[in-house]
Amino acid sequence: MTRTDAPPLCAGRMTDVDAHEMLPAEFWVDAFGEVAAPLAARFIAARRADDPGYWSVPGCTGDDTPVDPATVFTQKGPTAPGAIDPTRRPEVLDAMGVRRQLLFPTSVAHCASFLYTYPEGAGQFDGLVADRRGLAQALFGAYNQWAVGYTGISDRVRPVFVLHGDSPKELVEVADALLARGARAFVLLAGEPPGGRSPAHP
């Protein structure tokens, strides 16, 4: 007979390689600084009544959803436990039976990737600023600065940093600076060759 109340055999041994922070726009200025203010205002103003709350969550005051099986496996987006405050992630991992996870960027870094890759315009970002790529670079830097603050939470939660720059030299400089501050994982922009070169370029 199989016990249904026993934890799965893989509990505590799994690695989650696709977790994300999900700060809603209402938190962007506090987390990333004034550089995020134009984006935050745009998403807060554009929120529709039927929006499930992916980018903007009016009235959200913090990461306070209880950590239990009813939430960690069903609650998604910014209101999921640990979505806003990465220091709650170890407790979430315990509840899910996950050993460790890579914590990828969403929020401003996701927006910045569109600003950087589509300088001619991309929907909700049109008319935001004149220098889209410049804003994107500043947002990547602000995100990385925020993520540095969470490198020491636990060996089980590893923030993923954005490698950004207009040349291979800049990419290496960003990587070296972040490695010195505790970074252990990076993501490259996929919309165009990073630093203007294919990753296979010598």
Side-chain angles (χ1 to χ4, degrees), residues 8-22:
L9 294 177
C10 57
R13 297 164 59 188
M14 295 181 286
T15 298
D16 179 357
V17 296
D18 192 24
H20 292 256
E21 56 80 16
M22 294 289 293

Side-chain angles (χ1 to χ4, degrees), residues 116 133 137 164-171 192 194-196:
Y116 188 82
R133 283 171 90 90
Q137 293 279 27
H164 61 98
D166 293 322
S167 68
K169 180 177 182 291
E170 289 180 24
L171 294 178
E192 64 178 64

Side-chain angles (χ1 to χ4, degrees), residues 26-94:
E26 288 79 3
F27 287 76
W28 290 0
V29 173
D30 286 343
F32 310 114
E34 284 298 321
V35 67
L39 273 179
R42 176 69 62 92
F43 279 102
I44 292 170
R47 189 181 191 278
R48 304 185 315 271
D50 62 343
D51 190 322
Y54 184 81
W55 293 108
S56 172
V57 185
C60 180
T61 58
D63 195 325
D64 52 13
T65 300
V67 178
D68 59 50
T71 59
V72 298
F73 290 111
T74 60
Q75 194 90 6
K76 304 296 181 187
T79 59
I84 297 172
D85 180 3
T87 64
R88 301 186 73 201
R89 290 294 176 119
E91 185 182 359
V92 173
L93 297 184
D94 288 341

Side-chain angles (χ1 to χ4, degrees), residues 42-175:
R42 176 69 62 92
F43 279 102
I44 292 170
R47 189 181 191 278
R48 304 185 315 271
D50 62 343
D51 190 322
Y54 184 81
W55 293 108
S56 172
V57 185
C60 180
T61 58
D63 195 325
D64 52 13
T65 300
V67 178
D68 59 50
T71 59
V72 298
F73 290 111
T74 60
Q75 194 90 6
K76 304 296 181 187
T79 59
I84 297 172
D85 180 3
T87 64
R88 301 186 73 201
R89 290 294 176 119
E91 185 182 359
V92 173
L93 297 184
D94 288 341
M96 298 180 75
V98 173
R99 182 182 182 191
R100 61 168 56 105
Q101 71 179 191
L102 292 175
L103 185 62
F104 283 89
T106 307
S107 62
V108 296
H110 180 82
C111 296
S113 68
F114 281 92
L115 287 166
Y116 188 82
T117 305
Y118 302 106
E120 72 285 353
Q124 67 266 41
F125 305 111
D126 291 349
L128 189 65
V129 291
D131 182 9
R132 294 164 63 96
R133 283 171 90 90
L135 175 59
Q137 293 279 27
L139 288 168
F140 289 137
Y143 179 85
N144 286 340
Q145 176 66 31
W146 174 85
V148 161
Y150 295 101
T151 55
I153 303 173
S154 165
D155 187 55
R156 299 170 65 196
V157 180
R158 299 183 180 179
V160 178
F161 294 79
V162 181
L163 282 186
H164 61 98
D166 293 322
S167 68
K169 180 177 182 291
E170 289 180 24
L171 294 178
V172 171
E173 289 173 349
V174 169

